[in-house]
Amino acid sequence: MLATVIHAARDIRVEEVPDPVLSTGADALVRVVAACVCGSDLWPYRGVTPTDEPHRIGHEFVGVVEAVGADVETVRPGDFVIAPFYVCDGTCANCLNGVSTSCLTGGWWGSDDRFGGFADGGQGEYVRVPLADGTLAVVPGPVSDDEVPGLLTLSDVMGTGHHAAVSAGVGPGDSVAVVGDGAVGLCAIIAAKRLGATTIIAMSRHPQRQALAREFGATHIVEERGDEGIAAVRELTGGIGADRVLECVGTKESMDQALRSTRPGGMVGYVGVPNGGPELPIRQMFGRNVGVNGGVAPVRGYIEELLPDVRSGAIRPGRVFDLVLPLTEAAEAYAAMDERRATKVMLRP
């Protein structure tokens, strides 16, 4: 089959790789209907995260189950499924505590699982899914093609934006500032509005993303950064800062922006994958009673909550996909996102 392989910085190739096979009894084979490139994939693409040897890449996909192992109980061939960006069993203590990203038997796409099988990267024609009952979320059929973009966001970016809002404690009447205008930041705007925020400030300098932010529920746009950006947020929030700030980038600058844009006693929800050395200024946070909560988003646990709103059209996170390419053009998909010519790219095998 064809699958995406990263060889080095800015060296993405679509190559023939071995077809996946069932191997542990608890696994499933999924034919990928759609996959995508994640903002976090750009860290190895840019060389920020080193690539020591060629390896499979991609961790967001939806598809149709082709076969299941003998021990699989809830997933059946023919099911349309959403795969979160990680593998989990759904039954261990951490999963039951709502932190399935720390599953005691889980793992990550594009690597060996804990039972001796290989979990294919998500950007391919087929994927072997370990722990299928815990990992895969079944979408009751039939599923129309125009639903695919929205369903695909539940594998990562919509659930991650939701996690930022939940972690920050967004509730009715809150003022919220969102740092980051990528797909996660845009989905965080959706999440903030869905949870009842009435003032939603999108920090963005990109006209197309600003327009989408408005469509998703942003009430204000702030283009400034640093001290000027913080002053703009405070001006929009009675001079004190936002009740909740959602950090969706993962750099030192974005975390500083988020912390200083939060009002005394407010909360930052952070979901940006940390790169560029973000550190917490504890003394400053202590003095202003600003809290920080978040981390890698346990999106598998959010799918059932968000799925009805996606399917009904109450929220439309699939709008973040502004470029669709065949899998064979994965290298262009990465380049388009790296150069900010696209917000998020869908790949169709």
Side-chain angles (χ1 to χ4, degrees), residues 278-291:
E279 296 179 357
L280 296 180
I282 298 298
R283 184 72 187 184
Q284 176 198 124
M285 294 165 60
F286 180 85
R288 298 178 58 241
N289 283 277
V290 169

Side-chain angles (χ1 to χ4, degrees), residues 37 42 155 251 327 329:
V37 179
L42 297 181
S155 68
T251 64
L327 176 64
E329 295 183 29

Side-chain angles (χ1 to χ4, degrees), residues 180-197:
D181 64 356
V184 171
L186 291 167
C187 287
I189 292 169
I190 294 175
K193 181 179 180 181
R194 181 177 176 275
L195 292 172

